[in-house]
Amino acid sequence: MTDTPVPLKRTPLRDVHAAAGAKMVPFGGWDMPVQYTGIIEEHRCVRSAVGLFDISHMGEFEVRGPGALAAVQTLTTNDASTLAIGQVQYSLLCYPEGGIVDDLTLYRLAEDHYMLTVNASNIDKDWAWVTEGGRGGGWTNVSAETGLLAVQGPKAEALVQRLADRDVTRVLYYQFAQGAVAGVPCLISRTGYTGEDGFELYAPAAQLETLWHALMGAGKGDGIQPIGLGARDTLRLEMKFALYGNDIDETTNPLEAGLGWVVKPAKGEFIGRAAIEAMRAAGVTRKLVGFEMAERAVARHGYRLLKAGDPVGVVTSGSFSPSLERCIGMGYVRADLAPVGAELDVDIRGQAHRARVAKTPFVPSHAKKT
Amino acid sequence: MANVPGELRYTKEHEWAKLEGDKARVGITAFAQEQLGDVVFVELPKVGAKITAMKTFGVVESVKAVSDLFAPLSGEVVEINAELPKKPEVVNADPYGQGWMIVIKLSNAKEWDGLMPAGDYGKLIAAAGH
């Protein structure tokens, strides 16, 4: 029996990317641009100027009605009751055993109205999970009609402000405003996954191309470039931001992943709470750390971490860091080897290459927090 | 139009070879470096290593991926490009020139005839969508 190939899903900008010379690759079931001019150049553009990302492949679910907050509180680990309208929260969906279903951002849109932004590769799984019988709330999957662009970099604020119909400089990190950008109705969210200041702009899929071209045009003098998934990955790795499927998944729990800060047991019952509390009491046996290689050797997902030749962990992400011009990575190691400075080896094609647990983020964040 | 110099021969794995007497200089093609993206690391054999045609002789890593390098020809490595560990980006900038990787002293010169001429290689990469 042969598998029937499933056609890749396309964002509203798929043809725009191809016309711009992007190299397209399959990613989580989507046909996505991995790079336009080159990962290193695009990475540096975001760190030094401004870059534009199509991240429409990500999923958006809305929940509204009198049961909305209770539904969100049951499903997610962070305390959604602390969110005011106009605020965003990073949070997790967990299984009862404490493994991670997905990581997400939660938006409080109105009194009884929330939006969850989830990973592209997890949309179907997450939708089944949040709507499973008896969870409460009225859910809508708006992924298909919602486009999403990220504008990231030190020149992002000024660029978005030039096109926006309101003062976006007052929107601080993890806050959002509703407004128009280049005449397109947007949810203007001061979030992103690069460590730079910037915005994520949610807009109707049908008007996304208008928004894309307006930003590319208005950002010309700033040196704006379209940025592919390759640089998105190196940018988030320099911040030690976890990527679902690489660094976190159903076999990892929030405490060992360093995401204990988004688990709030004091808020009351939620799925996974008991298991995570038990783990917290017992202490975790492994931790997700960042490490730097001593030489130019790239540690990749799945490579073994060693201590004196013995396996002590596994690499979950690794790359050359364009900002540091060194090779960096993330991985789970035995808890006693997690402190900064601990010496490890990475097994790269049968040879041990020296690495050292590093302080993270690897580069400072420039998110506008005040 | 892809850059496929006529005087070189090619493998289907996208290495090139240039005959220099009883030796051959070897690198990866312009198409290969374009597919890989930014090259950040090249692992080469030591001078004196014996390599076999169509077996791996090293590794090239880009930001995104690891790829094996396949020997176009059998023989002994008599020279390696010592600049590459320091400047792997020259593989992107000049794949047929300063981005060369090794020089092999051939143990079986007849293998040359089994390599693809430029025309065939050009068709191969055109079929790959370029």
Side-chain angles (χ1 to χ4, degrees):
Chain A
M1 197 176 136
T2 54
D3 292 330
T4 310
V6 180
L8 293 172
K9 288 181 269 190
R10 295 175 159 209
T11 81
L13 298 174
R14 195 267 167 204
D15 294 342
V16 173
H17 301 313
K23 190 163 132 191
M24 305 298 291
V25 296
F27 176 83
W30 293 75
D31 190 21
M32 295 297 290
V34 64
Q35 66 173 61
Y36 300 81
T37 55
I39 292 173
I40 293 176
E41 185 188 333
E42 291 166 32
H43 180 112
R44 290 184 175 145
C45 174
V46 174
R47 290 267 181 259
S48 64
V50 58
L52 185 59
F53 305 69
D54 175 17
I55 49 171
S56 302
H57 59 317
M58 297 190 76
E60 295 84 14
F61 305 155
E62 291 187 17
V63 56
R64 67 176 88 202
L69 176 60
V72 168
Q73 288 287 62
T74 302
L75 283 161
T76 65
T77 61
N78 208 336
D79 187 358
S81 73
T82 64
L83 276 183
I85 295 166
Q87 287 186 330
V88 192
Q89 186 176 71
Y90 182 68
S91 194
L92 299 168
L93 301 173
C94 281
Y95 291 105
E97 302 76 24
I100 300 170
V101 181
D102 204 0
D103 64 335
L104 59 97
T105 45
L106 175 68
Y107 290 74
R108 189 173 188 192
L109 301 177
E111 183 62 27
D112 289 324
H113 188 183
Y114 296 83
M115 178 175 77
L116 279 66
T117 302
V118 302
N119 283 297
S121 54
N122 289 340
I123 293 174
D124 295 343
K125 177 183 82 173
D126 291 357
W127 180 248
W129 182 252
V130 302
T131 56
E132 200 174 285
R135 298 244 206 266
W139 290 89
T140 321
N141 184 347
V142 295
S143 303
E145 58 263 36
T146 308
L148 179 55
L149 302 183
V151 190
Q152 301 276 298
K155 296 182 176 176
E157 182 184 69
L159 168 59
V160 173
Q161 186 60 73
R162 286 204 295 280
L163 296 173
D165 68 348
R166 62 203 52 228
D167 184 1
V168 299
T169 65
R170 291 165 184 268
V171 180
L172 299 181
Y173 195 48
Y174 273 73
Q175 296 178 359
F176 67 91
Q178 307 266 7
V181 178
V184 176
C186 287
L187 188 156
I188 306 163
S189 171
R190 195 162 211 134
T191 48
Y193 222 53
T194 64
E196 293 304 318
D197 183 29
F199 295 92
E200 292 177 316
L201 305 175
Y202 296 78
Q207 294 180 66
L208 202 67
E209 199 172 330
T210 302
L211 184 61
W212 174 275
H213 290 305
L215 287 159
M216 286 300 294
K220 219 170 187 175
D222 300 314
I224 196 170
Q225 291 183 24
I227 312 295
L229 291 179
R232 186 170 169 81
D233 192 46
T234 53
L235 289 158
R236 69 94 197 165
L237 176 60
E238 288 182 347
M239 300 310 298
K240 195 181 169 251
F241 290 151
L243 175 64
Y244 195 90
N246 271 45
D247 312 300
I248 52 175
D249 60 26
E250 66 279 2
T251 70
T252 62
N253 72 65
L255 302 180
E256 58 193 14
L259 299 174
W261 63 279
V262 292
V263 180
K264 304 285 167 59
K267 77 174 184 176
E269 207 43 58
F270 58 87
I271 300 167
R273 179 175 183 257
I276 298 168
E277 280 303 274
M279 288 171 204
R280 204 189 294 267
V284 296
T285 56
R286 59 176 190 167
K287 286 185 179 168
L288 186 63
V289 299
F291 60 82
E292 280 182 12
M293 303 299 297
E295 56 201 291
R296 256 198 196 208
V298 190
R300 308 265 178 192
H301 179 81
Y303 288 7
R304 292 187 312 161
L305 291 164
L306 308 172
K307 184 75 184 177
D310 295 325
V312 291
V314 64
V315 176
T316 55
S317 289
S319 182
F320 175 76
S321 158
S323 300
L324 301 172
E325 299 195 331
R326 284 199 293 271
C327 291
I328 61 171
M330 289 164 69
Y332 286 97
V333 292
R334 225 169 54 198
D336 61 303
L337 295 168
V340 170
E343 306 264 358
L344 300 164
D345 291 311
V346 185
D347 178 351
I348 301 180
R349 297 180 288 278
Q351 283 199 330
H353 291 261
R354 283 183 303 124
R356 185 195 293 262
V357 176
K359 189 169 171 290
T360 53
F362 293 97
V363 302
S365 168
H366 296 108
K368 186 173 173 178
K369 295 190 177 165
T370 55
Chain B
M1 184 60 197
N3 183 3
V4 183
E7 71 277 22
L8 307 180
R9 294 261 172 128
Y10 302 88
T11 70
K12 64 178 174 37
E13 309 287 352
H14 310 291
E15 289 83 13
W16 57 262
K18 181 185 180 191
L19 206 54
E20 297 176 351
D22 60 349
K23 297 176 195 152
R25 193 172 296 268
V26 171
I28 65 168
T29 66
F31 175 81
Q33 66 78 24
E34 198 177 285
Q35 292 295 304
L36 283 166
D38 297 314
V39 172
V40 294
F41 179 68
V42 182
E43 188 179 291
L44 298 176
K46 291 192 165 49
V47 170
K50 300 276 196 296
I51 60 173
T52 308
M54 298 310 137
K55 298 269 200 263
T56 63
F57 73 86
V59 169
V60 60
E61 299 214 28
S62 67
V63 176
K64 281 309 285 179
V66 188
S67 304
D68 285 328
L69 295 165
F70 289 87
L73 301 155
S74 305
E76 181 184 335
V77 177
V78 292
E79 205 180 332
I80 62 165
N81 186 343
E83 289 298 306
L84 288 190
K86 286 174 273 180
K87 288 188 172 177
E89 61 273 14
V90 302
V91 175
N92 293 115
D94 191 9
Y96 299 115
Q98 290 180 45
W100 69 274
M101 292 176 174
I102 57 173
V103 176
I104 307 169
K105 186 167 193 310
L106 305 183
S107 58
N108 180 3
K110 285 185 182 161
E111 286 173 351
W112 177 260
D113 298 326
L115 293 174
M116 264 185 278
D120 292 354
Y121 182 68
K123 281 181 205 155
L124 178 86
I125 59 175
H130 284 255

